[in-house]
Amino acid sequence: MGAKLFGASVPRREDPRLLRGEGRFVDDIKLPGMLHAAFVRSPHAHATIAAIRTEAAAARPGVARVLTFADLERWMKPLPLFGAIPPGLAARVDVTMKQVAQLAMARDRVRHVGEIVAMVVAASRALAEDAAELVEVDYEPLPAVVDMLAGAEPGAPLIHSEWPDNVALRFKTGFGDAAGALKAADVRVHERFYVQRYVGMPMETRGVVAQWDARDGSLTTWNGTQVVHFVQQGLVAALGLPANKIRVIAPDVGGGFGTKATGYPEDLLVPAAAIVCRRPVKWTEDRREHMMAAAHARHQVHDIEIGARRDGTMLAVRDRICVDLGAYNSWGIVLPYNTVAHLLGPHRVPALDVECRAVVTNKTPNAPYRGAGRPETVYAMDRIVDCLARELRMDPAELRRRNYLSAADLPYELDIPYRDGNRLVYDSGDFRANLDAALDAIGYDHLRAEQAAARTERGILRGIGISGYVEGTAIGPYEGATVRMDATGRAVVATGACSQGQGHETSFAQVAADALGIPLDWVTVVGGDTAAIPFGIGTFASRSAVNAGSSILVAAGKVREKLAAAAAALLEAAPSDIEIDDGQAFVRGAPASSVSLERVVRSALPTFAKPGAVTADFEATVYHHQPTVTYTSAVHIAHVEVDAGTGAVRLLRYMVAHDCGRLINPMIVEGQIHGGVAQGIGGGLLEEMVYDEQGQLLTGTFMDYLVPTAMELPPIETVHLEYPSPRNPLGIKGIGEGGAISPPAAIANAVEDALASFGVRVTRAPLGPDTVRSLIVAARAKKGQP
Amino acid sequence: MTREIRLTVNGREHTARVEPRTSLADCLRDALDLTGTHVGCEHGVCGACTVLLDGEPVRSCLMLAIQAVGHGVTTVEGLAPHEGLSPLQQAFQDKHGLQCGYCTPGILLATHAFLREHPEPTHEEIREMLAGHLCRCTGYHFIVEAVEAAARAVVRPKPA
Amino acid sequence: MKPAPFDYLAATSAEEAIAALVQHGDEAKLLAGGQSLVPMLNLRLARPAVLVDINRAAELDYLRETDGRVHIGAIRRQAAVERWARERLPLLATALKHVGHLAIRNRGTVVGSVAHADPASELPALLLCLDGDVVARGPRGDRVIPAGALYRAPLTTSVAADELVTEARFTLPRPEAGWGFAEVARRHGDFALVGAAALLWLDGGGRVAGARLAFFGVGSTPTRGTAAETALTGQTPSTERIVAAARAAAAVLQPEGDLHASARYRQDVAAVLAERTLAEAWKRCRKTP
């Protein structure tokens, strides 16, 4: 395959329309006769519903319908559940798990602030909101479970009455003799770490438009989702229609990050309303709704202990993990097991003992968000590693040098399965090399010297923090692609992957154009449309380039073979002598024989005079099998300055040295890293979804949920290492999430390092000024200082 | 309670039927079909809805449509030539200064006004200008480079 | 998030606006910049029946320097005042740079922010620091309300429901005065967790002839740090004296905690910022001839 475009930072083809303001996001869609929906959402964290009265609301001007559970009962099937335990995993790890599905609209009980109780459909959003205020709901509040640790205790109020307790999932796993190794260790360090609740917060909120065509009994729905086929499957189950009568389209989507990759009530309710009202219905989520109703994430407690020899060799890690799921366990094994599988990361640790509990609470349900358990686990591990370094009086970089795996150790197997039930084998990479590259690029030794000088000479507190991860990316088992060429040689690539800013229209076109031998702008990529390809999974888990890319590569290769056969017939040569490049086919070594692909394709069509030279089939569909993940890795280094008087943390520099295998489009890869890092820095310093003791969400607007701006972020420096993946034909690895994994850990380590003279220990995030100052004050008090 | 108002947007006269409570953002998007202006928060923080009012950036989610009568509004659609990209827009494509594109229109308009006042901006000045715009995709790194590149490309920006 | 319905009046004069306030009582709200009010409308936290828009009352759009004071009309935008203040009142310009972002300041008004009385906002504290006052006009005529008598509680001033604040006045500091400004905010442009503004000027003998210190984010209203002002006046400034004065001023504060910062934090850091701004003011005033 001519690899002209692979590896090139080709400017993005989606940019012109987005820059001209001609993108088509869900709220841009207007249909004749369209109505607008607003939801009545529970103001209580936990309550039963005694009655709902809708007459006053329904009487408001412009209101078409007010719908409650009773009105929509025929469609109220349980919402889809994810995260079933794969057989390979169940065979090796004993997991107790309970999942109870959410209903799209609460029937007689609400379990989090924001849960949907009723729906108003009206001539405008404003009129719908006017009416929604008049829906009367008689709630009987129940005690709310807000703290995951308290909620896990026997005797805590039950969120799902059919369960004996609020622990939705429990398992233990590990390898080696951790207890023995810890006992024998020269040094043991133990700490409890809290990772806060924080979220994806895309700039475009969610939205659904649904159009029911009564003439042929078909539904078209535009949905800002990352998972069009999942949404379609949910609608098939709820509406009782076949898939060919339900088309789900994700148009331009303004950011996803996982927040839009889960199943939501509105996915069903808006189509149901369109069917009931016999008119198109649009719902655009507002930001206040988004805060309380779009999936939350993170939120874990780790009680972690590490044992090591005096020379720093790590011997064992024991971790007791608690995960706060929110009100419903929609994602099953995914978040808890991701957490466990990624705990040890790049470190060589011969013994592991983990127990994990996942607890339901009266909060917005959690779903995977960029990193999906990895940021939390890396926080715990990198923090305890730094605590160990301090205990050993060893430089944290040196401690990691002594314990990181390097290329010579790979492939490296951990004796626990991966989440997909397959063996957990690091396939490629060099984590030592990542570390060395990061330290070198940031000038670590110089920073250390400067840190000491700044403190002694000017009383300025600077800190350096390191964090490293190994990430299983591109979970399979497939993302198919159809490649289809038309009469002019242009090709359409259809795939179940869809883009929320990742640039698939460009990077996938690069792969296809190279594989077909045509110019880049002859390729159109269609993602996020269930009508374009029947089976799909969606874009999340850093999976699309590997899974869809591999399918595209192979499918395009098959189309190229068909073109070569046709060209061979046309040019009277052997197919193996045909070259295709830049939209032309020619016999190798005889450039004058060159014919356009248009001519080649046309030659396959029958004419009155004769049949086609070959069958006019220039199409191929491939569902490349990706049984398990491929491993990306990185080391991040944060350089901070702390103002001890105010507790303010300033990020001076941020360095990423990473390996994601080969790069289709280096510019797009860098952009993904930058974006992930920015979200991670937000998690480290600013972002938190906060609930009070009654389960009321206190962070309800952008005034309180603090997304970092350009002033809170430094330039993000990147060093690329390249260890191609042996697990897919492109040699690439997933990169969508990695940037978000390490920043909270790197920043926490840096702040603790900056405040080393006070002897603080950082155990929670985000590190806002009050938190940092409190650490200093507490540390001073412990030392008996003012 | 609706009334008809006349708005001047991108140099052209438009008529729209609005309620007093209709925001300028919603009027542009719904009544005038100019959907390039995006709504991200409706409380003035995210900046996605930013348009130019008589050449100065304002939050169109915090203005009532009726308040824009008698003023000149510029939206992202007013930045683009009939076909292709303006030098400012081209700089953003060249430098990968956008990913999902949702925050982009607001940033483009703010940058357009900014470069008029700061034809040779420092990185610090650029970041301060960008601080009024939340982006969740890019980490701002390439946006800063795009604004720098635009400053070089847009030699003498015309006043709005 | 769409507002509840309201009627709308675009007043073309102060008189017309006041007449509407009188007619509608507390069913009416004034709309100037809208950068504080419209979010509240959108969140349905404010639900006036009538919105009285004063942006078309041209008589209220002015900025005049008279007799050592600057008079800022009700609809003069923060961004315009910032441009004027860079040369003429750098303390105010610096404070304004911390108010939201440019797009907010292009619509937001100085008088609006002063009258809105958010205890975490900068301008009410500047009004205190710069010996400011406002003119409130109502059916009974005009009255001047000094900054010290203006702020009652969060979002509550002594301006009556049927009054319109037509202008805010700030005293220009003496040419020899030094100024300081500092705030802690989670992000650039956010409301402050705590902040301070300071002025200091010396007599011919190098002793403090006058001092002003104002805090924001430290209680239910912006607060003068009179303990510091008193402690420093008549003294030769020194680092030790400034530290002691700052601590004395912070000690009497009664801040409230919220999601972003505890009361303890605000009180402790008020002392830190008082120290820093007074020191900054001292450094600046020594340089002036």
Side-chain angles (χ1 to χ4, degrees):
Chain A
M1 138 185 129
K4 291 194 309 198
L5 295 164
F6 189 98
S9 289
V10 171
R12 296 190 338 161
R13 304 172 65 220
E14 37 272 88
D15 286 356
R17 71 173 183 275
L18 297 172
L19 289 163
R20 291 174 58 88
E22 291 164 1
R24 194 158 184 248
F25 297 86
V26 174
D27 191 57
D28 301 339
I29 293 168
K30 288 172 195 163
L31 301 170
M34 194 166 72
L35 296 169
H36 298 261
F39 291 103
V40 177
R41 296 182 180 275
S42 169
H44 296 284
H46 200 190
T48 49
I49 299 171
I52 306 181
R53 288 176 296 283
T54 62
E55 299 75 25
R60 289 287 300 179
V63 172
R65 287 294 298 266
V66 181
L67 301 165
T68 63
F69 183 93
D71 300 306
L72 300 172
E73 187 152 12
R74 58 180 279 214
W75 294 301
M76 291 289 112
K77 305 283 186 313
L79 292 181
L81 289 171
F82 307 96
I85 305 164
L89 183 57
R92 294 182 57 189
V93 181
D94 183 19
V95 183
T96 335
M97 183 164 92
K98 300 188 278 287
Q99 285 183 294
V100 63
Q102 191 178 3
L103 296 172
M105 196 175 275
R107 174 172 44 201
D108 44 30
R109 190 151 162 192
V110 289
R111 295 181 174 84
H112 69 91
V113 166
E115 191 161 10
I116 294 172
V117 169
M119 182 179 188
V120 177
V121 185
S124 74
R125 174 65 183 223
L127 292 172
E129 288 188 20
D130 295 342
E133 288 187 313
L134 298 177
V135 173
E136 292 165 35
V137 186
D138 293 340
Y139 294 103
E140 280 151 17
L142 296 168
V145 176
V146 182
D147 178 78
M148 68 174 109
L149 296 175
E153 293 301 304
L158 289 176
I159 294 181
H160 299 288
S161 357
E162 55 267 60
W163 296 4
D165 56 33
N166 294 315
V167 181
L169 179 149
R170 232 189 218 105
F171 65 91
K172 276 198 235 268
T173 190
F175 52 84
D177 175 17
L182 286 170
K183 263 215 193 73
D186 295 329
V187 173
R188 291 168 74 160
V189 184
H190 175 230
E191 189 53 79
R192 173 178 278 195
F193 296 110
Y194 300 84
V195 174
Q196 82 278 28
R197 198 172 195 75
Y198 65 105
V199 303
M201 202 59 67
M203 292 321 300
E204 183 207 21
T205 54
R206 297 179 296 141
V208 184
V209 172
Q211 180 172 45
W212 170 248
D213 188 339
R215 294 167 302 180
D216 67 359
S218 69
L219 175 78
T220 304
T221 177
W222 293 261
N223 189 320
T225 181
Q226 298 171 235
V227 287
V228 290
H229 288 88
F230 277 161
V231 172
Q232 184 192 44
Q233 285 152 32
L235 290 170
V236 165
L239 300 177
L241 292 169
N244 61 57
K245 289 293 189 187
I246 299 180
R247 183 176 181 191
V248 182
I249 300 168
D252 286 320
V253 176
F257 316 119
T259 307
K260 295 175 180 171
T262 186
Y264 283 110
E266 297 90 344
D267 296 341
L268 167 59
L269 291 173
V270 179
I275 294 172
V276 167
C277 297
R278 303 202 144 238
R279 284 173 61 179
V281 175
K282 170 189 279 187
W283 168 71
T284 300
E285 184 182 49
D286 66 39
R287 188 58 63 179
R288 180 172 46 185
E289 275 183 293
H290 185 85
M291 299 261 179
M292 67 173 78
H296 285 192
R298 309 278 190 259
H299 211 175
Q300 297 188 1
V301 179
H302 287 244
D303 278 288
I304 185 167
E305 181 171 11
I306 191 167
R309 292 203 198 101
R310 182 120 324 260
D311 69 358
T313 309
M314 294 175 188
L315 299 173
V317 169
R318 176 193 287 159
D319 197 0
R320 301 288 173 262
I321 304 168
C322 196
V323 179
D324 186 325
L325 298 175
Y328 295 93
N329 181 16
S330 315
W331 276 85
I333 194 64
V334 173
L335 291 167
Y337 199 82
N338 268 358
T339 302
V340 164
H342 291 91
L343 177 62
L344 296 180
H347 307 88
R348 180 190 295 103
V349 180
L352 173 69
D353 166 14
V354 285
E355 278 178 32
C356 185
R357 290 179 302 170
V359 184
V360 289
T361 60
N362 289 115
K363 308 199 201 74
T364 306
N366 280 28
Y369 154 47
R370 207 169 198 170
R374 300 170 187 79
E376 300 93 299
T377 208
V378 163
Y379 186 90
M381 185 66 182
D382 269 312
R383 286 293 306 121
I384 204 69
V385 166
D386 260 36
C387 292
L388 175 64
R390 222 169 287 292
E391 184 65 31
L392 292 170
R393 297 189 198 288
M394 189 181 292
D395 184 297
E398 181 56 31
L399 179 58
R400 287 172 172 84
R401 259 188 216 109
R402 294 185 186 189
N403 288 281
Y404 269 23
L405 298 161
S406 64
D409 299 307
L410 265 56
Y412 182 84
E413 181 159 8
L414 273 75
D415 202 11
I416 51 171
Y418 192 71
R419 173 166 87 65
D420 52 27
N422 293 296
R423 291 164 59 186
L424 202 173
V425 181
Y426 295 160
D427 56 348
S428 56
D430 187 331
F431 318 137
R432 264 298 300 265
N434 294 341
L435 177 64
D436 292 338
L439 294 168
D440 186 58
I442 205 167
Y444 186 74
D445 295 336
H446 172 78
L447 287 187
R448 280 288 177 216
E450 186 225 39
Q451 174 188 37
R455 187 175 56 241
T456 50
E457 290 162 23
R458 290 176 291 150
I460 289 179
L461 302 175
R462 294 201 169 153
I464 308 157
I466 304 169
S467 168
Y469 68 82
V470 180
E471 178 195 3
T473 67
I475 199 154
Y478 67 85
E479 191 68 74
T482 296
V483 176
R484 177 188 306 126
M485 185 164 283
D486 70 16
T488 68
R490 272 53 176 180
V492 172
V493 173
T495 176
C498 43
S499 186
Q500 306 83 39
Q502 300 92 324
H504 293 171
E505 285 170 48
T506 306
S507 52
F508 293 174
Q510 288 174 255
V511 172
D514 272 353
L516 288 167
I518 60 177
L520 180 72
D521 60 9
W522 285 23
V523 180
T524 301
V525 176
V526 175
D529 183 346
T530 55
I533 187 166
F535 310 112
I537 294 181
T539 292
F540 53 91
S542 310
R543 65 188 303 275
S544 294
V546 168
N547 284 281
S550 298
S551 294
I552 292 168
L553 178 74
V554 178
K558 287 185 194 285
V559 172
R560 191 203 183 96
E561 279 169 23
K562 294 179 183 184
L563 288 167
L570 184 63
L571 298 176
E572 294 172 351
S576 54
D577 291 330
I578 298 293
E579 295 273 0
I580 303 177
D581 188 32
D582 206 35
Q584 304 275 102
F586 54 94
V587 179
R588 187 177 303 109
S593 65
S594 171
V595 289
S596 70
L597 286 180
E598 178 170 351
R599 193 152 157 234
V600 171
V601 168
R602 284 194 194 287
S603 77
L605 292 167
T607 65
F608 290 115
K610 53 184 169 56
V614 298
T615 311
D617 162 25
F618 300 103
E619 178 173 332
T621 296
V622 169
Y623 288 86
H624 170 83
H625 182 215
Q626 197 64 45
T628 192
V629 293
T630 180
Y631 287 87
T632 295
S633 61
V635 168
H636 291 206
I637 301 183
H639 187 213
V640 305
E641 188 171 299
V642 181
D643 180 335
T646 64
V649 176
R650 195 158 69 97
L651 202 40
L652 300 173
R653 285 179 72 186
Y654 200 90
M655 173 67 64
V656 174
H658 85 111
D659 159 43
C660 66
R662 298 210 169 93
L663 311 182
I664 301 174
N665 185 317
M667 180 186 77
I668 289 180
V669 168
E670 284 227 2
Q672 290 300 300
I673 295 170
H674 294 169
V677 166
Q679 288 182 308
I681 290 173
L685 293 174
L686 289 164
E687 298 177 38
E688 186 173 5
M689 277 294 186
V690 181
Y691 284 85
D692 71 11
E693 282 129 31
Q694 280 75 47
Q696 290 297 309
L697 182 61
L698 299 180
T699 45
T701 69
F702 277 148
M703 301 299 291
D704 294 318
Y705 190 87
L706 304 174
V707 169
T709 74
M711 293 281 276
E712 286 75 52
L713 298 170
I716 297 156
E717 303 169 59
T718 50
V719 176
H720 297 284
L721 295 88
E722 196 168 301
Y723 295 87
S725 172
R727 290 184 174 172
N728 62 77
L730 291 165
I732 62 179
K733 307 180 190 181
I735 190 52
E737 292 171 277
I741 294 175
S742 274
I747 289 170
N749 283 346
V751 170
E752 187 171 283
D753 184 59
L755 301 178
S757 54
F758 297 100
V760 314
R761 180 169 276 187
V762 173
T763 58
R764 40 179 87 231
L767 291 173
D770 193 344
T771 304
V772 172
R773 216 189 120 87
S774 301
L775 287 170
I776 297 172
V777 168
R780 275 191 173 131
K782 223 161 121 184
K783 285 189 176 170
Q785 290 167 358
Chain B
M1 239 217 299
T2 62
R3 60 179 91 175
E4 205 171 79
I5 59 172
R6 297 255 281 281
L7 291 181
T8 307
V9 183
N10 302 327
R12 289 183 49 207
E13 289 268 306
H14 294 267
T15 321
R17 181 149 282 280
V18 299
E19 293 182 82
R21 62 174 165 171
T22 307
S23 71
L24 177 58
D26 285 347
C27 176
L28 291 167
R29 291 180 51 73
D30 299 337
L32 303 189
D33 265 328
L34 293 166
T35 57
T37 301
H38 297 150
V39 172
C41 73
E42 297 179 297
H43 46 282
V45 178
C46 79
C49 72
T50 304
V51 299
L52 301 183
L53 188 78
D54 303 326
E56 301 296 340
V58 298
R59 305 291 202 227
S60 65
C61 72
L62 297 187
M63 271 192 75
L64 306 176
I66 209 165
Q67 292 185 296
V69 174
H71 295 276
V73 177
T74 311
T75 68
V76 64
E77 291 92 341
L79 288 181
H82 183 62
E83 273 178 12
L85 302 176
S86 70
L88 168 60
Q89 291 164 325
Q90 187 61 56
F92 270 69
Q93 181 181 36
D94 293 343
K95 294 296 181 182
H96 192 30
L98 67 154
Q99 289 184 27
C100 80
Y102 200 75
C103 71
T104 308
I107 290 181
L108 288 173
L109 289 158
T111 303
H112 178 85
F114 170 76
L115 291 178
R116 205 181 53 218
E117 308 296 321
H118 301 88
E120 288 175 19
T122 63
H123 271 224
E124 183 63 28
E125 285 169 338
I126 294 173
R127 283 187 179 266
E128 192 173 353
M129 178 271 292
L130 289 175
H133 295 267
L134 299 182
C135 171
R136 223 30 191 159
C137 291
T138 68
Y140 310 102
H141 185 111
F142 284 149
I143 299 181
V144 173
E145 292 191 2
V147 174
E148 254 195 333
R152 290 191 296 270
V154 181
V155 175
R156 278 277 170 264
K158 296 201 253 321
Chain C
M1 286 157 33
K2 311 302 177 193
F6 50 78
D7 281 329
Y8 173 88
L9 167 68
T12 53
S13 67
E15 208 180 305
E16 205 182 328
I18 291 160
L21 293 180
V22 169
Q23 181 189 352
H24 297 286
D26 54 16
E27 290 284 303
K29 275 204 93 63
L30 290 165
L31 174 65
Q35 306 301 283
S36 303
L37 178 59
V38 179
M40 289 171 60
L41 295 176
N42 289 348
L43 286 162
R44 300 199 178 204
L45 294 174
R47 310 169 66 111
V50 182
L51 213 56
V52 181
D53 185 341
I54 59 170
N55 288 284
R56 298 194 191 272
E59 70 188 39
L60 296 172
D61 184 11
Y62 58 85
L63 185 154
R64 291 191 281 269
E65 281 188 52
T66 319
D67 296 331
R69 307 193 88 201
V70 61
H71 300 239
I72 302 174
I75 58 172
R76 183 50 61 107
R77 309 290 169 192
Q78 290 162 354
V81 175
E82 189 190 338
R83 285 190 289 272
W84 166 85
R86 275 180 212 147
E87 290 294 317
R88 301 294 298 141
L89 221 182
L91 171 56
L92 183 59
T94 300
L96 279 165
K97 273 180 90 65
H98 288 83
V99 175
H101 301 283
L102 180 61
I104 302 291
R105 301 197 293 273
N106 278 334
R107 285 300 289 173
T109 61
V110 168
V111 169
S113 178
V114 161
H116 185 62
D118 188 317
S121 63
E122 294 82 357
L123 293 180
L126 271 276
L127 196 74
L128 276 177
C129 187
L130 291 165
D131 295 337
D133 53 40
V134 300
V135 174
R137 180 177 301 171
R140 297 167 294 283
D142 283 13
R143 62 189 182 110
V144 174
I145 309 176
L150 182 58
Y151 296 107
R152 291 261 173 83
L155 308 184
T156 313
T157 66
S158 48
V159 177
D162 58 2
E163 287 179 315
L164 163 70
V165 177
T166 54
E167 70 176 29
R169 295 102 67 98
F170 300 80
T171 306
L172 272 69
R174 285 148 223 264
E176 69 270 22
W179 60 272
F181 180 89
E183 71 170 59
V184 179
R186 296 295 298 274
R187 296 173 305 179
H188 180 77
D190 283 348
F191 281 110
L193 304 183
V194 55
L199 282 176
L200 203 69
W201 59 99
L202 308 177
D203 64 23
R207 280 180 291 269
V208 175
R212 296 285 182 272
L213 176 66
F215 294 109
F216 47 106
V218 295
S220 55
T221 66
T223 309
R224 277 275 287 272
T226 40
E229 297 168 6
T230 311
L232 288 171
T233 304
Q235 306 289 326
T236 306
S238 71
T239 304
E240 297 71 33
R241 287 206 167 103
I242 283 177
V243 169
R247 294 224 175 111
V252 299
L253 297 172
Q254 294 183 312
E256 302 253 317
D258 71 8
L259 199 51
H260 296 296
S262 60
R264 170 94 266 141
Y265 176 87
R266 293 186 146 113
Q267 185 145 29
D268 289 351
V269 179
V272 173
L273 295 187
E275 188 190 321
R276 291 184 186 177
T277 52
L278 287 166
E280 204 184 334
W282 178 33
K283 195 158 164 213
R284 282 198 168 100
C285 77
R286 277 195 295 196
K287 288 203 194 125
T288 315

